[in-house]
């Protein structure tokens, strides 16, 4: 049983699994949110009444239709149906102290996926493909991931921003409208990707088994062939992705990720492992974390400052050729032109001899280049 196994009458947490897990009474979602995700959420929460208006308009949005669809054509998780998932859901809500347990449905779909949707009240949906793919501990991390979305309010704010984006697209005929829309969509997807990292952290707080979280992400990437895969080798792929290539590859990485609402699975695994080894995670596990009662006093300015600091640190510590170039520009590094030529030298074939760096490195330079989801229609919210 989680923590000391105490039951909470009237909150739906009466039935929880037997394995001992630490719980986090009153925890604020700010404890596990990625800095970029947290700054956006803090700003939105400060807009008093903003989400209330959209909740009142929820009947005009597809949400009501989706609820009826899942109720009529999926299986609702309960003590009588998918009881093991019901136990996981109650346990996740108990650990993260989410008072109201969201309804959860299993829908027939071979594609492994899960999502948390809803303006008025969040609902969680998992596909049969995901249920069949993951073992109990891996599935527990996914359920915790979705409960993390619910606690953060991602379902509400995602729906709001999708609605605003859809509205903006209708007025794209206005001069420069397309450019404005692309800016909105790009920023929205960037937030989506960071919110997925936040939810991965929530899944770890619920499951409290890093290897299980890693295995789940690895299976999403490579299927149910666990005997053919290795978590450590999977994480090395993320290192290679981060460290490999030149400036051309850096640009391709950006182009590949821009249309996505989810980060790549190897990147998610590496980010989660990094957070699991951080002091922030350890402090949460020790019981030192921000409380929900303090959310109203959170400074928007401080949150944005923290987000900016995170991005600056990421750029500075990155081994990606483009990020290193950006860092060098900011730091006033010398030989900038040489770095650019070496980075893009392959585009036009071999450079003239005078532009070639010495092969023996006699000038002290290193000629090698190191580095290192409802989708769009609606976006897939998870897995």
């Amino acid at each position: 049983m989680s923590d000391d196994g105490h039951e909470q009458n009237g909150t739906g947490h009466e039935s929880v699994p037997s394995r001992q897990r630490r719980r986090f009474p009153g925890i604020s979602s700010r404890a596990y949110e990625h800095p970029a995700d947290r700054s956006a959420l803090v700003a939105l929460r400060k807009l008093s009444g903003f989400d209330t208006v959209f909740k009142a308009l929820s009947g005009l949005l597809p949400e009501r239709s989706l609820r009826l669809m899942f109720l009529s054509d999926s299986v609702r998780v309960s003590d009588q149906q998918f009881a093991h998932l019901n136990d996981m859901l109650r346990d996740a809500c108990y650990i993260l102290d989410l008072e109201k347990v969201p309804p959860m449905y299993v829908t027939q779909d071979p594609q492994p996926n899960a999502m948390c949707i809803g303006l008025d009240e969040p609902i969680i949906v998992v596909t049969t493909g995901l249920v069949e793919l993951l073992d109990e501990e891996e599935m527990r991390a996914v359920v915790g991931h979705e409960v993390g979305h619910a606690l953060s309010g991602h379902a509400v704010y995602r729906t709001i921003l999708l609605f605003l984006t859809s509205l903006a697209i209708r007025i794209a005929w206005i001069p420069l409208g397309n450019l404005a829309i692309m800016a909105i969509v790009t920023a929205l997807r960037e937030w989506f990707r960071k919110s997925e990292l936040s939810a991965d952290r929530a899944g770890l707080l619920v499951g409290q088994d890093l290897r299980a979280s890693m295995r789940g992400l690895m299976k999403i990437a490579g299927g149910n062939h666990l005997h053919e895969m290795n978590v450590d080798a999977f994480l090395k792929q993320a290192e290679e992705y981060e460290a490999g290539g030149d400036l051309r590859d850096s640009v391709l990485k950006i182009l590949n990720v821009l249309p996505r609402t989810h980060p790549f699975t190897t990147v998610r695994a590496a980010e989660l492992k990094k957070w699991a080894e951080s002091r922030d995670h350890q402090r949460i596990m020790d019981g030192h974390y921000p409380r929900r009662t303090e959310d109203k006093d959170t400074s928007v300015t401080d949150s944005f400052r923290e987000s900016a600091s995170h991005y600056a640190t990421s750029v500075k510590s990155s081994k990606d050729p483009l990020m290193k170039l950006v860092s060098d520009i900011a730091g006033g590094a010398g030989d900038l032109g040489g770095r650019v030529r070496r980075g893009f030298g392959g585009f036009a074939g071999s450079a003239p001899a005078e532009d070639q760096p010495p092969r023996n490195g006699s000038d002290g330079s290193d000629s090698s280049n190191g580095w290192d989801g409802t989708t769009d229609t609606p976006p897939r919210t998870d897995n």
Side-chain angles (χ1 to χ4, degrees):
M1 184 156 305
S2 300
D3 198 34
D4 57 2
H6 291 168
E7 297 181 356
Q8 292 190 350
N9 295 327
T11 60
H13 301 305
E14 297 85 353
S15 175
V16 293
S18 58
R19 185 162 79 81
Q20 193 91 3
R21 287 183 180 81
R22 191 179 302 276
R23 68 180 298 260
F24 311 99
I27 189 171
S28 168
S29 60
R30 292 181 291 114
Y32 59 79
E33 285 163 355
H34 186 280
D37 178 28
R38 186 188 309 133
S39 63
L41 290 173
V42 167
L44 287 171
R45 288 167 187 151
K46 290 291 184 179
L47 296 177
S48 178
F50 187 57
D51 58 340
T52 304
V53 171
F54 277 84
K55 286 181 181 180
L57 295 174
S58 61
L60 302 178
L61 300 175
E63 178 187 353
R64 186 179 297 272
S65 175
L66 285 173
R67 289 178 181 275
L68 290 172
M69 182 183 69
F70 288 122
L71 183 63
S72 63
D73 204 31
S74 299
V75 176
R76 184 163 56 190
V77 171
S78 66
D79 289 332
Q80 292 78 38
Q81 301 186 118
F82 289 100
H84 72 293
L85 293 180
N86 192 51
D87 286 344
M88 291 181 194
L89 177 61
R90 291 174 182 268
D91 191 43
C93 293
Y94 180 66
I95 288 173
L96 294 181
D97 200 15
L98 184 64
E99 183 175 355
K100 189 169 184 179
V101 179
M104 184 175 182
Y105 293 89
V106 176
T107 189
Q108 174 64 33
D109 186 343
Q111 179 72 27
N113 194 21
M115 54 186 171
C116 181
I117 58 175
L119 270 174
D120 188 27
E121 293 181 359
I123 63 173
I124 294 172
V125 181
V126 297
T127 66
T128 52
L130 189 67
V131 174
E132 293 163 4
L133 177 67
L134 305 182
D135 67 25
E136 181 177 352
E137 293 304 307
E138 296 158 5
M139 193 69 198
R140 191 184 304 280
V142 170
V143 173
H145 177 113
E146 301 306 326
V147 171
H149 277 311
L151 181 59
S152 287
H154 287 150
V156 173
Y157 295 118
R158 284 180 173 205
T159 307
I160 291 172
L161 289 179
L162 282 171
F163 178 78
L164 293 177
T165 302
S166 176
L167 180 64
I169 289 174
R170 296 174 188 175
I171 60 172
W173 55 269
I174 297 176
L176 300 180
N178 285 336
L179 292 177
I181 295 306
M182 286 307 300
I184 294 172
V185 170
T186 300
L188 180 60
R189 286 174 178 160
E190 171 65 8
W191 177 39
F192 278 5
R193 291 190 289 269
K194 293 303 184 288
S195 73
E196 289 303 316
L197 299 180
S198 298
D200 284 344
R201 297 174 180 185
L204 179 60
L205 292 178
V206 168
Q208 298 176 23
D209 184 343
L210 179 60
R211 300 295 286 190
S213 294
M214 298 287 104
R215 290 197 311 270
L217 289 168
M218 187 169 62
K219 283 184 175 181
I220 290 170
N224 193 16
H225 302 279
L226 196 58
H227 63 289
E228 297 284 355
M229 297 184 286
N230 179 276
V231 170
D232 294 328
F234 186 64
L235 289 170
K236 285 182 180 178
Q237 290 182 223
E239 294 178 8
E240 183 177 343
Y241 174 78
E242 182 183 357
D246 54 22
L247 287 175
R248 292 165 297 177
D249 295 299
S250 300
V251 173
L252 290 174
K253 290 176 188 177
I254 294 173
L255 294 177
N256 285 341
V257 80
L258 279 179
R260 295 175 60 90
T261 57
H262 286 57
F264 295 114
T265 48
T266 58
V267 174
R268 288 173 65 181
E271 286 286 336
L272 185 59
K273 183 175 185 292
K274 186 187 304 182
W275 186 73
E277 296 170 349
S278 70
R279 184 181 177 187
D280 288 342
H281 176 255
Q282 188 57 54
R283 283 178 58 81
I284 295 174
M285 297 305 296
D286 290 340
H288 305 294
Y289 50 81
R291 262 59 176 184
R292 197 169 308 167
T293 53
E294 304 164 353
D295 284 350
K296 64 181 182 300
D297 301 320
T298 305
S299 167
V300 176
T301 301
D302 290 344
S303 297
F304 276 106
R305 186 180 296 116
E306 183 179 359
S307 177
S309 175
H310 168 80
Y311 276 111
T313 301
S314 297
V315 169
K316 187 175 181 180
S317 62
S318 175
K319 298 175 184 177
D320 178 79
L322 181 58
M323 294 300 101
K324 286 176 67 68
L325 182 61
V326 171
S327 180
D328 288 347
I329 292 173
D335 192 26
L336 186 56
R339 288 175 181 266
V340 173
R341 285 196 299 272
R342 289 193 295 275
F344 285 96
F347 273 136
S350 299
E354 60 269 22
D355 287 337
Q356 296 276 7
R359 293 181 180 272
N360 60 6
S362 60
D363 66 343
S365 65
D366 182 2
S367 59
S368 65
N369 290 290
W371 139 287
D372 38 14
T374 22
T375 54
D376 303 333
T377 55
R380 268 172 57 172
T381 347
D382 301 297
N383 45 65

